[in-house]
Amino acid sequence: MRFGHFDDSRREYVIATPHTPYPWTNYLGCEEFFSLISHQAAGYSFYRDARLRRLTRYRYNNVPTDVGGRYLYVRDGDDFWSPSYLPVKRELDFFECRHGLGYSTITGERRGVRVRSTFVVPLGHPAEVQRVEVTNTSTAKKSLRLFSYVEFCLWNAYDDMTNFQRNLSTGEVEVDGSTVYHKTEYRERRNHFAFFHVNAPIHGFDTDRERFLGLYNGMHEPRAVAEGQSGNSIASGWAPVGSHCVDVTLEPNETKVLVFVLGYVENPTSEKWERPGVLNKVRARSLIEHFSTSGQVDAVLLAMELHWRRLLSTFQLESPDPRLNRMANVWNQYQCMVTFNISRSASYFESGIGRGMGFRDSNQDLLGFVHLEPARARERIVDVASTQLPDGSAYHQYQPLTKRGNNEIGSGFNDDPLWLIFGVAAYVKETGDFGILKEVVPFDNQSANSAPLFEHLRRAFHHVLDRLGPHGLPLIGRADWNDCLNLNCFSETPDESFQTSGNQAGRTAESIFIAGMFVAVAPDYAYLAQRSEFEEEALDAKAQAEKMSETVLRHGWDGDWFLRAYDFFGKKVGSHECTEGKIFVEPQGFCVMAGIGKDTGHAKKALDATKQLLDTQYGIVLNQPAYTKYHVELGEITSYPPGYKENGGIFCHNNPWIMIAETTLGRGDRAFEYYKKIAPAYVEERSEVHRLEPYVYAQMIAGRDAPRHGEAKNSWLTGTAAWNFVALSQHLLGVRPDFEGLRIHPVIGREIDKFTVTRRCRGAEYVIRVSNRGAGDRAPRLTVDGTAIHGDLVAYAPAGSRVVIDCEV
Ligand code: BGC
Ligand code: NOJ
């Protein structure tokens, strides 16, 4: 069952009902100011950091769900309602939400009044602009009274939940004309404030929540709206809000437009005040001036469209399958931008408080983002590498505002450093900017201890080699990619964090996943070493990878698949000898991607076992059988009920590893079958089961051991986005930037018999026309501008050129 449809020509998903199986959200903003917005206009805005600079309030995990947003109340005679359905929930004659690239439009109509609100965070400005078009669709004149509403957060969203006794006395506002200013704590150490403005004269306002809503009322029944009259309240402590009351009179068919601006301003310390106690509003006014007319909003929307058209033109696919086209051309790339911007911090499943930017996460996000805006990818690489510790290890997370490593969680996830090599390699392949390897970057943000970026990579690579366990396999540390496989933790105390506590002395647990990753990244590392004129290091890296491959085949092979790990006691994890957790997906994906056992048949066996034991109708589960008991020596993974999260859930993130692995064996039919199982556009028809947005990936879909098999959780912020884009664009469609050229090697199976990819890379444009007859097991035959070439590598053309490649496979 569907709850909407894709409007491909406008690159929008159109939600046709407020009653979706879960709030379906979008992200506004792609620079410093961000908003989350659900199809019912709930969500919140923040400047750079969702914890420390949260402008508006949102109530996570609440009843009913999705509480707090930018709300509009329409009072029409005795009736009042909300065009976004929530919060009033009065039945609408028409509802539609269009989530587009960087904007959302929500339309509601009731009793002859149609309101269309467009929400956008303009490029280059720290503000959310809301354009509200009100139309009289009836045959009689209408006199309406509109009330806007946002609730200000008291900036530190953590305190807002935990130390609110303080906040109840700190709230301060000013009202100036049609603008409400939220200036809590500005009197002391802050130089930032927020405002909420409307471009029309107001009949009244409220800034005190209690006065606007009524102490015992919900947002669906504000006292001011019910009475038809604002209270003109000035908040003093308690809960500051911004509400305007605007009168609108409309003849039949007439439309009037209002523009609201929710903005963020920083004043230099010396310019904080206009006069004692009164905010200096100069910067706010100039921000407002950019958006005082509907025409200015049109310009913002046009700029947004052009921005996205330009970004997405880097990679465009034409294939006979519209679902594939919309994933490749629009939604998967869009999600990659969002994960790049937000990492795992703020979504409808991540509070924006607990987690900053993940070291591992950010590097993976780069893989799917780097082609869109390489310059921003470069900055991110430098930020991330600056948090690396001198011994090569990495803070697991860092805060976006300070860019400092997060001490609360610390380091010790032994896969983390290796991801930096993946990120840097992807960037260099895309851009040819080998100069980045010479960029001097600090360790742990201490400029006194800096080194060229290549040295960071060297320490990352050796961090693994310096920490090998009894079998010669990499020590796992706190955990590897699977944050919940905590083999050294042994937690018996409730409330203890598996991620940070109790690492046992000795720590001999080893990870075959890290081994696979090490071998997978070694060729890129060796290449970068050689280009940095460290010939011996390059040779040594290849030798070490060779040795690690042998070690994996000797100690990391279980007979029919790759083992997952050795635990603290040297016992196997992910082996047929285990009673539960006999097989895990991660090492099958990474070891095969690394090429381990390709020539010996191990790789094929491992993938066949994956198919047989882990594949379900909704995707590949993480492990089987799922753990039914808590195992103190395995940690958090066994704390999840069977079928959820890392314990037998379909972790969408590692499904593409298996897809890529299948393509390395030339098995395109199977790779594409896996692709279709989890790609959101293909699951649209079963939205009532999947429940989350059909336009973006979720982190997890409940596995077959779970009562709710097929139900997704945690949409948007997941490495799934980047990895699926890599799998699809580089391996299934087979257009893969490499250091020396563009590698063209499609392995997508027989269903997609022909397609064209237009790819811009290093300033040149490549039009790749593929005629695909086989399953993917034949070497492609290429002609470049009409001339046949050997192999699958097309040398990079000079910037500005256009190259036509014909590929038969
Ligand atoms: C991940 C989850 C995992 C959790 C364990 C987080 O980093 O998002 O997948 O279940 O850690 O607490
Ligand atoms: C989500 C985390 O963000 C990611 O880093 C991790 O690899 C997966 N969970 C698996 O545990």
Side-chain angles (χ1 to χ4, degrees):
M1 181 182 173
R2 291 199 276 119
F3 295 84
H5 68 273
F6 287 91
D7 183 339
D8 293 323
S9 65
R10 299 169 60 143
R11 298 176 171 163
E12 292 173 340
Y13 192 80
V14 186
I15 301 166
T17 165
H19 307 288
T20 52
Y22 208 72
W24 285 1
T25 61
N26 194 12
Y27 282 82
L28 314 177
C30 45
E31 294 160 331
E32 301 199 303
F33 189 102
F34 298 98
S35 295
L36 277 79
I37 184 164
S38 72
H39 69 297
Q40 306 194 74
Y44 63 96
S45 305
F46 60 94
Y47 177 75
R48 286 180 61 191
D49 187 318
R51 170 169 172 175
L52 298 173
R53 295 286 186 278
R54 188 178 299 194
L55 274 76
T56 47
R57 242 187 188 146
Y58 184 74
R59 290 172 174 77
Y60 276 102
N61 242 338
N62 220 288
V63 181
T65 199
D66 208 13
V67 182
R70 58 294 271 165
Y71 290 140
L72 188 73
Y73 302 89
V74 179
R75 201 182 146 101
D76 179 7
D78 288 339
D79 183 37
F80 69 86
W81 55 284
S82 295
S84 54
Y85 185 67
L86 280 185
V88 180
K89 293 205 329 193
R90 207 85 76 211
E91 274 318 305
L92 300 174
D93 302 327
F94 176 81
F95 172 88
E96 184 185 87
C97 168
R98 290 176 169 261
H99 283 318
L101 306 185
Y103 66 91
S104 293
T105 302
I106 302 174
T107 306
E109 182 167 351
R110 180 176 162 88
R111 298 190 181 167
V113 178
R114 172 177 282 241
V115 178
R116 188 165 85 132
S117 304
T118 304
F119 305 86
V120 60
V121 170
L123 293 165
H125 295 283
E128 178 182 304
V129 174
Q130 307 165 8
R131 178 171 66 190
V132 176
E133 297 160 85
V134 195
T135 304
N136 181 356
T137 54
S138 77
T139 49
K141 185 172 170 178
K142 289 270 186 191
S143 293
L144 308 171
R145 186 157 268 193
L146 308 184
F147 295 83
S148 66
Y149 180 73
V150 296
E151 181 177 1
F152 292 108
C153 181
L154 296 159
W155 300 112
N156 189 332
Y158 181 77
D159 279 359
D160 200 38
M161 299 187 311
T162 53
N163 193 20
F164 53 87
Q165 60 79 23
R166 180 173 195 280
N167 291 354
L168 297 182
S169 292
T170 56
E172 288 190 291
V173 298
E174 282 180 35
V175 178
D176 181 42
S178 299
T179 314
V180 173
Y181 292 88
H182 174 234
K183 61 167 185 177
T184 297
E185 296 198 340
Y186 185 79
R187 63 166 66 235
E188 23 118 347
R189 295 154 302 166
R190 296 180 179 180
N191 63 354
H192 51 269
F193 62 88
F195 66 83
F196 189 37
H197 166 85
V198 61
N199 70 339
I202 57 175
H203 180 266
F205 62 86
D206 270 299
T207 67
D208 180 68
R209 188 185 74 209
E210 195 174 318
R211 179 62 188 81
F212 179 75
L213 293 180
L215 181 58
Y216 294 106
N217 288 359
M219 288 174 208
H220 62 293
E221 48 180 354
R223 169 183 163 190
V225 181
E227 289 175 355
Q229 193 69 44
S230 292
N232 295 342
S233 55
I234 296 291
S236 175
W238 299 107
V241 300
S243 171
H244 311 93
C245 170
V246 182
D247 286 333
V248 177
T249 311
L250 295 170
E251 297 298 333
N253 288 324
E254 191 186 355
T255 299
K256 281 194 179 142
V257 184
L258 297 171
V259 182
F260 293 86
V261 184
L262 173 71
Y264 173 88
V265 175
E266 284 177 3
N267 279 336
T269 314
S270 59
E271 294 171 32
K272 275 179 76 163
W273 306 103
E274 179 180 307
R275 54 197 150 84
V278 179
L279 269 178
N280 176 347
K281 306 182 180 66
V282 172
R283 285 179 174 74
R285 289 194 189 112
S286 92
L287 181 51
I288 286 167
E289 269 171 28
H290 285 94
F291 315 109
S292 43
T293 66
S294 182
Q296 285 172 313
V297 181
D298 281 332
V300 165
L301 293 169
L302 182 63
M304 189 63 72
E305 195 196 320
L306 295 176
H307 175 71
W308 275 105
R309 200 185 296 165
R310 183 180 60 76
L311 290 179
L312 296 176
S313 68
T314 313
F315 184 99
Q316 285 295 298
L317 165 72
E318 273 171 62
S319 86
D321 183 345
R323 291 167 301 184
L324 189 62
N325 296 343
R326 60 176 73 114
M327 285 315 307
N329 295 337
V330 184
W331 296 99
N332 196 169
Q333 297 195 61
Y334 185 54
Q335 188 177 1
C336 287
M337 170 65 85
V338 171
T339 57
F340 174 84
N341 286 332
I342 314 279
S343 190
R344 306 296 171 269
S345 87
S347 71
Y348 265 37
F349 296 86
E350 303 273 11
S351 70
I353 292 176
R355 300 166 72 180
M357 313 287 283
F359 190 95
R360 173 200 299 140
D361 298 327
S362 293
N363 280 302
Q364 288 179 87
D365 294 344
L366 282 171
L367 308 180
F369 172 81
V370 64
H371 66 293
L372 291 172
E373 289 189 288
R376 289 183 69 203
R378 191 184 207 278
E379 272 173 45
R380 176 65 54 80
I381 286 172
V382 173
D383 286 350
V384 171
S386 304
T387 67
Q388 191 184 16
L389 293 156
D391 68 353
S393 65
Y395 278 107
H396 196 49
Q397 289 163 7
Y398 71 95
Q399 289 309 121
L401 196 67
T402 60
K403 298 188 179 175
R404 292 285 188 277
N406 188 340
N407 276 313
E408 278 158 37
I409 181 142
S411 74
F413 295 75
N414 282 350
D415 65 316
D416 275 346
L418 283 182
W419 293 109
L420 182 65
I421 306 180
F422 273 100
V424 171
Y427 168 78
V428 175
K429 287 174 182 172
E430 181 71 35
T431 59
D433 174 15
F434 288 93
I436 195 175
L437 299 169
K438 297 205 171 76
E439 178 97 11
V440 176
V441 178
F443 288 99
D444 196 11
N445 281 292
Q446 309 291 317
S447 51
N449 187 2
S450 297
L453 183 64
F454 181 75
E455 175 60 15
H456 286 251
L457 304 190
R458 197 191 66 78
R459 291 192 202 180
F461 194 75
H462 287 269
H463 184 264
V464 174
L465 289 174
D466 294 345
R467 286 163 187 76
L468 299 179
H471 298 91
L473 292 160
L475 293 176
I476 196 168
R478 291 197 177 281
D480 58 26
W481 174 89
N482 190 333
D483 288 321
C484 300
L485 193 61
N486 316 115
L487 303 180
N488 298 306
C489 180
F490 293 86
S491 180
E492 288 185 298
T493 315
D495 309 328
E496 209 170 60
S497 157
F498 288 98
Q499 314 267 300
T500 57
S501 48
N503 255 336
Q504 296 279 316
R507 303 180 180 194
T508 49
E510 297 166 285
S511 161
I512 284 105
F513 168 80
I514 302 183
M517 224 186 133
F518 178 85
V519 179
V521 82
D524 286 351
Y525 173 71
Y527 186 90
L528 294 174
Q530 191 204 329
R531 286 294 295 244
S532 304
E533 289 165 25
F534 295 110
E535 303 284 342
E536 263 181 46
E537 179 67 12
L539 289 175
D540 184 53
K542 287 183 196 158
Q544 295 290 358
E546 190 59 37
K547 192 165 155 210
M548 187 69 81
S549 295
E550 286 162 14
T551 307
V552 169
L553 290 178
R554 189 164 329 116
H555 295 296
W557 180 252
D558 192 53
D560 285 308
W561 55 79
F562 293 101
L563 282 175
R564 179 62 177 87
Y566 285 95
D567 73 10
F568 181 79
F569 305 104
K571 258 186 71 197
K572 292 173 183 170
V573 180
S575 158
H576 70 284
E577 295 168 16
C578 308
T579 43
E580 302 186 321
K582 289 172 186 283
I583 173 170
F584 280 69
V585 71
E586 307 100 304
Q588 321 314 326
F590 250 94
C591 292
V592 178
M593 282 199 278
I596 302 174
K598 185 176 174 189
D599 303 330
T600 51
H602 294 81
K604 184 171 172 296
K605 262 191 166 178
L607 294 185
D608 289 344
T610 302
K611 175 81 188 151
Q612 196 196 331
L613 299 170
L614 300 177
D615 185 32
T616 75
Q617 59 172 320
Y618 299 123
I620 306 165
V621 299
L622 195 143
N623 60 315
Q624 280 290 293
Y627 295 102
T628 55
K629 289 191 280 295
Y630 177 58
H631 295 261
V632 72
E633 77 287 6
L634 301 178
E636 185 169 2
I637 184 169
T638 62
S639 73
Y640 288 116
Y644 291 116
K645 296 286 288 183
E646 282 86 343
N647 187 20
I650 297 159
F651 231 83
C652 297
H653 190 141
N654 36 42
N655 278 238
W657 299 345
I658 299 297
M659 296 169 206
I660 299 171
E662 287 287 359
T663 66
T664 67
L665 302 189
R667 304 200 292 194
D669 288 331
R670 207 182 257 185
F672 191 49
E673 184 191 324
Y674 284 137
Y675 177 81
K676 288 186 294 181
K677 283 189 177 172
I678 63 162
Y682 291 83
V683 308
E684 188 191 15
E685 297 293 344
R686 50 166 205 265
S687 289
E688 79 287 4
V689 178
H690 186 79
R691 291 190 68 195
L692 298 188
E693 296 92 333
Y695 41 91
V696 288
Y697 286 97
Q699 182 202 53
M700 196 257 327
I701 299 170
R704 66 169 159 231
D705 304 284
R708 293 163 171 248
H709 186 29
E711 181 188 70
K713 290 201 187 87
N714 207 350
S715 53
W716 283 100
L717 303 184
T718 162
T720 309
W723 274 106
N724 274 289
F725 189 68
V726 170
L728 175 63
S729 63
Q730 301 190 16
H731 299 273
L732 293 157
L733 299 169
V735 178
R736 181 153 77 247
D738 209 332
F739 293 115
E740 313 271 355
L742 206 54
R743 209 171 277 288
I744 310 293
H745 199 137
V747 187
I748 196 169
R750 281 164 279 226
E751 194 175 320
I752 306 294
D753 58 352
K754 61 175 189 312
F755 63 88
T756 300
V757 168
T758 308
R759 177 69 157 90
R760 271 194 289 112
C761 192
R762 304 192 188 188
E765 184 175 271
Y766 302 83
V767 180
I768 303 135
R769 303 187 295 213
V770 178
S771 154
N772 179 44
R773 299 222 183 77
D777 50 354
R778 289 197 303 239
R781 287 209 312 266
L782 301 181
T783 57
V784 178
D785 288 331
T787 309
I789 63 160
H790 289 294
D792 60 5
L793 191 69
V794 178
Y796 286 119
S801 41
R802 185 166 187 272
V803 182
V804 178
I805 301 167
D806 285 295
C807 170
E808 267 185 39
V809 66

